[in-house]
Amino acid sequence: MGRITLDRVQKKFGDVEVIPPLDLIIEDGEFVVFVGPSGCGKSTLLRLIAGLEDVSGGEIRIDGRPATDLPPAKRGLAMVFQSYALYPHMSVRKNIAFPLKMAGMAQDEQDRRIAKAATALNLTDYLDRRPGQLSGGQRQRVAIGRAIVREPAAFLFDEPLSNLDAALRVGMRMEISELHKTLATTMIYVTHDQVEAMTMADKIVVLRAGHVEQVGSPLELYKTPRNTFVAGFIGSPKMNLLTGAAAAAHGAATIGIRPEHLDVVDSGGTFTGRVGVAEHLGSDTFFHVHVPEMAEPMTVRAGGEVGLTHGDTIHLTPRAAHIHRFDAQGLRIA
Amino acid sequence: MATQHSRTSARIMVAPAVFVLLVWMLVPLCMTLYFSFADYRPLRATFDAWIGFDNYVSFLTSDSFLSSVGVTLQMVAGILCITIGGGVVLALLLDQPMFGQGIVRILVIAPFFVMPTVSALVWKNMFFNVDNGLFSYLWRFFGAQPYDFLSQAPLFSIIVIVAWQWLPFATLILLTAVQSLSSEQLEAAEMDGAPPLSRFWHIILPHLSRAITVVILIQTIFLLSIFAEIFVTTNGAFGTRTLTYLVYQRVLESQNIGLGSAGGIVAVILANVVAIFLMRIVGKNLDN
Ligand SMILES: Nc1ncnc2c1ncn2[C@@H]1O[C@H](COP(=O)(O)OP(=O)(O)OP(=O)(O)O)[C@@H](O)[C@H]1O
Ligand SMILES: [Mg+2]
């Protein structure tokens, strides 16, 4: 079981309020991703849940039991750190065994659990090595192994993949998702990479300056962003946010159109502009289009083989059903 | 230093330094070696340039030799225990955030800058003195008979004095080691359910092991030649005669330069044996 409830949880460092009172419910077995720009308080929130920081106000409950004043070890949570935080002088086996040893578990049960974790994480051949003799991906797996042997109520990950190269990151992303499917344990995952958030999460929590901007499934956030911040943050490339006359035409202060919801037409069209940078990815092409009335270039997704290059004139028409409208406060107009 | 040319010029550049060092070290060493085979007692006007190994035989077979080696080892071991134990504790304390951290750190380092003779005199007269020493006041305050440290426990007293001087050094090196421990490792151990003592034992101490071996190595080399503290306090009496002090007595008090030189050479050989032995351990420790 691992249902975590945050009730008016607040964190101040001195006079600086990093997390204003915040409510959040994380259901048992959910894969929750905290996402937001750098410095928005994701790590702080995770460390509050872990018990590595004391809350300044509010209450944390794990499975209904108050956990606010429990020390980290008593909360039954396991954490995987960004730097892995492996113990450099211990072998991989001893690293993984450490939490079991601290819990005073019998040796044969320890061995059984280590063997199981090592098999699941492909670490069997490396058990007698030191962390310094492993690659980044292997170290990451050891850190995960050390977390899973304890069979915790929930896993906490703080940007675990940010030290890996792009290819390995995609691989580890899959492995962590896979692990979540097999263990069905609650996982809280912090990242500032919205692609990770979209691909892994059951539920995404978008944070800005300690505030929860929106909570929902990846598709909910993608389809119905609650405000312009979420609209701009979720989705890659970013949504085009237009103000001025173009927005007023739809009765809004700001309208948002995703690059994939702009069609290239031969003539006419709502927007006419000049092609700036064209990014050819093979399957898709992204055009940055300079429209005279707009300050920022618009991004457009077109098919893989569109015969337009730098400097060409392009006509664009948004799909009416996919226009997001926001009011002057940046909130979504239903 | 990859090319032939740069290697040659590097050699020319370091040559003066090497030359000075060699002269500085080799000349006294050669003279000691020369005297160690001579019967040279200036006060009795005897000088016999070659008497073979007689000096060595009489130095090594005298009772005072073995006891002085024992005293030296006890002294070094005692000082190492106190400085490393105390150094670890002080380093951990100094690492805690506290008011006036900078000043406290400077105060802790201060004893290292006091000359050995001065600190020994300060300890002898201000702390250990039976009539006026601070410890005597303390003892009397609790209604106890003042304890005469320097004559009742002379070896221990000297160990305390020298340990007090070297504690800052150990603390300084260990403090930098403590500060280089990543806080995430300690947090991970905390999450893994390790109470403070286990965290110290399983995480902090292994992290410090390298710094501890360095402290042991450096201190041992310096501590083998303790002299001023013994000279000022007990004059080598009451079982505080170390090897260095024995050599001094042979040369200056007995005015037997030949015998003293032989002792000096023996001391050099023993110190080198210890140093090689320690280097091996340190090298092993630094490898993994
Ligand atoms: N110990 C501390 N004392 C004071 N301020 C802190 C402390 N720790 C974090 N902060 C501040 O709290 C804010 C949130 O920090 P946090 O580490 O949670 O950000 P983050 O969302 O994890 O960012 P990133 O994506 O860069 O890791 C930052 O503005 C940071 O400066
Ligand atoms: Mg962070």
Side-chain angles (χ1 to χ4, degrees):
Chain A
M1 281 291 284
R3 185 176 196 268
I4 299 170
T5 321
L6 306 186
D7 192 6
R8 313 291 301 155
V9 166
Q10 184 193 18
K11 179 65 190 176
K12 284 185 189 163
F13 286 114
D15 291 334
V16 189
E17 188 175 59
V18 176
I19 312 256
L22 174 149
D23 295 308
L24 187 67
I25 295 176
I26 294 157
E27 298 292 345
D28 183 35
E30 242 176 1
F31 196 116
V32 178
V33 173
F34 293 168
V35 68
S38 187
C40 69
K42 308 177 295 288
S43 299
T44 308
L45 189 55
L46 198 72
R47 291 165 58 82
L48 287 175
I49 297 174
L52 294 173
E53 300 276 0
D54 293 323
V55 297
S56 310
E59 205 190 9
I60 299 170
R61 282 189 299 274
I62 299 174
D63 291 330
R65 283 180 293 115
T68 321
D69 298 320
L70 285 183
K74 295 261 157 58
R75 299 191 182 194
L77 308 175
M79 183 145 165
V80 176
F81 291 83
Q82 181 173 358
S83 67
Y84 317 133
L86 299 177
Y87 311 129
H89 53 274
M90 298 183 197
S91 65
V92 168
R93 182 192 307 280
K94 289 213 172 115
N95 262 281
I96 298 179
F98 191 70
L100 306 179
K101 194 169 143 193
M102 287 299 121
M105 186 178 283
Q107 189 62 45
D108 50 340
E109 173 68 5
Q110 281 189 28
D111 291 341
R112 200 186 57 76
R113 288 201 187 187
I114 293 167
K116 195 171 136 201
T119 317
L121 293 164
N122 269 325
L123 284 172
T124 314
D125 295 339
Y126 307 108
L127 279 178
D128 294 315
R129 290 211 199 161
R130 295 276 177 98
Q133 300 163 319
L134 299 179
S135 73
Q138 289 162 344
R139 284 180 213 182
Q140 183 63 70
R141 276 198 278 268
V142 176
I144 294 175
R146 193 173 65 185
I148 62 176
V149 284
R150 287 174 54 197
E151 302 182 352
F155 292 96
L156 312 177
F157 294 91
D158 191 357
E159 307 204 21
L161 306 185
S162 55
N163 286 341
L164 303 179
D165 69 55
L168 204 52
R169 206 180 298 180
V170 175
M172 284 304 296
R173 210 161 76 194
M174 304 280 236
E175 285 189 34
I176 294 177
S177 292
E178 198 73 36
L179 195 69
H180 178 243
K181 297 277 182 306
T182 25
L183 297 176
T185 312
T186 313
M187 289 190 180
I188 306 178
Y189 188 103
V190 165
T191 178
H192 57 245
D193 178 354
Q194 58 91 27
V195 178
E196 270 175 31
M198 292 296 280
T199 49
M200 301 171 85
D202 293 327
K203 184 157 102 183
I204 297 181
V205 178
V206 182
L207 292 167
R208 176 169 57 163
H211 282 283
V212 174
E213 293 289 324
Q214 190 170 4
V215 179
S217 71
L219 278 186
E220 255 172 71
L221 264 56
Y222 182 79
K223 285 188 178 148
T224 54
R226 207 168 67 85
N227 55 31
T228 48
F229 177 78
V230 179
F233 198 79
I234 299 289
S236 172
K238 280 173 67 159
M239 181 188 276
N240 299 298
L241 291 169
L242 314 176
T243 51
H250 291 271
T254 310
I255 57 168
I257 309 163
R258 295 206 179 271
E260 54 269 43
H261 298 143
L262 280 165
D263 289 323
V264 181
V265 292
D266 290 340
S267 60
T270 316
F271 309 109
T272 301
R274 212 167 29 74
V275 174
V277 178
E279 297 174 300
H280 296 277
L281 302 181
S283 59
D284 290 316
T285 307
F286 292 105
F287 292 112
H288 295 261
V289 177
H290 298 277
V291 179
E293 311 86 271
M294 316 263 177
E296 304 253 313
M298 290 175 75
T299 316
V300 182
R301 190 182 83 177
E305 282 147 41
V306 176
L308 288 166
T309 53
H310 182 82
D312 288 351
T313 304
I314 188 170
H315 303 279
L316 302 168
T317 305
R319 295 184 197 157
H322 294 288
I323 296 177
H324 305 270
R325 300 186 302 144
F326 302 97
D327 65 16
Q329 279 77 50
L331 290 177
R332 182 181 190 81
I333 304 171
Chain B
M1 299 281 167
T3 64
Q4 187 69 44
H5 180 74
S6 60
R7 231 175 292 152
T8 317
S9 55
R11 274 191 204 130
I12 295 171
M13 297 290 202
V14 297
V18 171
F19 178 74
V20 169
L21 268 179
L22 278 181
V23 171
W24 212 259
M25 285 168 52
L26 276 186
V27 170
L29 187 67
C30 289
M31 284 180 70
T32 315
L33 209 58
Y34 168 68
F35 285 134
S36 73
F37 291 105
D39 181 12
Y40 183 23
R41 276 170 289 179
L43 281 190
R44 294 190 197 167
T46 37
F47 184 79
D48 184 353
W50 178 258
I51 54 165
F53 283 90
D54 286 4
N55 281 330
Y56 287 91
V57 172
S58 58
F59 187 85
L60 290 174
T61 50
S62 74
D63 290 342
S64 30
F65 168 69
L66 271 188
S67 77
S68 73
V69 170
V71 169
T72 311
L73 291 182
Q74 280 177 42
M75 201 175 273
V76 171
I79 296 166
L80 284 178
C81 286
I82 298 181
T83 48
I84 286 172
V88 169
V89 172
L90 273 179
L92 289 177
L93 286 178
L94 288 179
D95 191 41
Q96 308 296 320
M98 61 177 160
F99 180 72
Q101 199 167 38
I103 290 177
V104 172
R105 283 187 188 174
I106 290 176
L107 285 181
V108 169
I109 310 300
F112 202 48
F113 300 118
V114 180
M115 281 178 286
T117 327
V118 175
S119 76
L121 281 173
V122 167
W123 274 89
K124 179 182 174 182
N125 295 321
M126 292 183 64
F127 292 100
F128 289 151
N129 190 298
V130 197
D131 300 321
N132 302 312
L134 281 181
F135 286 132
S136 295
Y137 280 111
L138 194 71
W139 258 240
R140 279 195 214 105
F141 180 79
F142 286 108
Q145 190 67 29
Y147 188 72
D148 188 0
F149 281 91
L150 279 172
S151 52
Q152 302 300 113
L155 187 58
F156 173 75
S157 303
I158 293 176
I159 289 179
V160 168
I161 296 175
V162 182
W164 178 78
Q165 286 168 24
W166 281 91
L167 191 56
F169 173 77
T171 307
L172 204 62
I173 295 207
L174 292 171
L175 178 62
T176 54
V178 167
Q179 285 171 336
S180 73
L181 177 58
S182 95
S183 62
E184 284 200 347
Q185 251 181 58
L186 285 176
E187 285 174 349
E190 201 179 340
M191 301 265 334
D192 282 344
L197 216 58
S198 306
R199 286 207 289 278
F200 173 74
W201 190 250
H202 292 288
I203 312 295
I204 298 177
L205 211 52
H207 177 79
L208 291 184
S209 65
R210 193 173 290 200
I212 290 177
T213 38
V214 169
V215 170
I216 290 181
L217 179 69
I218 295 179
Q219 282 200 10
T220 308
I221 290 170
F222 280 94
L223 293 180
L224 283 174
S225 58
I226 298 176
F227 180 79
E229 293 85 345
I230 306 172
F231 183 76
V232 169
T233 51
T234 62
N235 252 314
F238 318 121
T240 57
R241 187 159 59 189
T242 59
L243 195 53
T244 321
Y245 207 85
L246 181 66
V247 172
Y248 160 78
Q249 283 188 338
R250 288 290 175 268
V251 173
L252 274 166
E253 288 177 7
S254 333
Q255 283 291 327
N256 190 339
I257 294 185
L259 189 59
S261 299
I265 296 295
V266 170
V268 167
I269 293 171
L270 287 183
N272 272 292
V273 169
V274 173
I276 290 170
F277 181 69
L278 284 172
M279 283 295 208
R280 282 271 167 86
I281 303 178
V282 172
K284 238 187 207 159
N285 223 319
L286 295 187
D287 273 347
N288 48 42

